[in-house]
């Protein structure tokens, strides 16, 4: 083989290797770009889920506050019911004490 032919073959191999390196770099860059795009889409989806979660938390807090208010109202009503019950019992006892026809046993049951 002549020296000129060897130089041409070496140069051809170098050109082919350079072209392979360029194409491999482009392919790698394309894959990286695709992964960046996918990551961006996933981040956007995550932001949507974050917003939904915040809305759900706010609704849950609102419902909990409403439940606490309702529970306080129920406790107040129970206290009032108890007061009314004691007042009714007192009035029944008073009526039994005043009634000349009342059975004395009713007075004993009312006071216990």
């Amino acid at each position: 083989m002549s020296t000129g032919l060897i130089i041409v073959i070496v140069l051809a191999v170098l050109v082919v290797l350079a072209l392979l390196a360029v194409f491999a770099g482009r392919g790698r860059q394309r894959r990286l770009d695709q992964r960046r795009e996918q990551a961006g889409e996933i981040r956007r989806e995550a932001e949507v889920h974050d917003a939904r979660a915040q809305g759900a938390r706010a609704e849950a807090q609102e419902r909990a506050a409403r439940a606490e208010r309702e529970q306080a109202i129920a406790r107040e009503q129970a206290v009032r019911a108890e007061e009314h019950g004691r007042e009714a019992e007192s009035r029944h006892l008073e009526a039994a004490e005043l009634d000349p026809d009342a059975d004395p046993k009713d007075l004993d049951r009312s006071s216990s």
Side-chain angles (χ1 to χ4, degrees):
M1 265 201 219
S2 72
T3 307
L5 184 60
I6 292 174
I7 292 175
V8 169
I9 291 173
V10 169
L11 286 176
V13 168
L14 289 176
V15 168
V16 168
L17 289 176
L19 288 174
L20 287 175
V22 168
F23 288 128
R26 285 184 183 169
R28 181 176 183 277
Q29 187 61 42
R30 197 171 329 124
R31 284 189 303 276
L32 290 175
D33 289 342
Q34 286 175 344
R35 290 180 64 189
R36 284 186 188 102
E37 188 176 324
Q38 287 176 335
E41 289 175 14
I42 291 170
R43 284 187 186 94
R44 283 188 291 279
E45 289 174 7
E47 288 173 5
V48 168
H49 287 289
D50 281 341
R52 287 179 182 165
Q54 288 175 357
R57 277 189 217 100
E59 184 176 342
Q61 289 172 345
E62 181 182 323
R63 286 178 184 231
R66 192 176 319 130
E68 287 177 21
R69 288 190 299 272
E70 291 294 325
Q71 191 175 24
I73 290 169
R75 282 192 301 265
E76 289 174 12
Q77 288 176 340
V79 167
R80 273 184 274 161
E82 187 66 31
E83 289 171 356
H84 288 303
R86 283 193 301 269
E87 181 64 26
E89 185 179 326
S90 172
R91 299 303 283 174
H92 282 296
L93 182 59
E94 184 181 347
E97 288 173 351
L98 286 175
D99 188 353
D101 298 326
D103 187 355
K105 293 179 197 172
D106 290 340
L107 290 174
D108 290 339
R109 270 189 258 148
S110 299
S111 61
S112 52

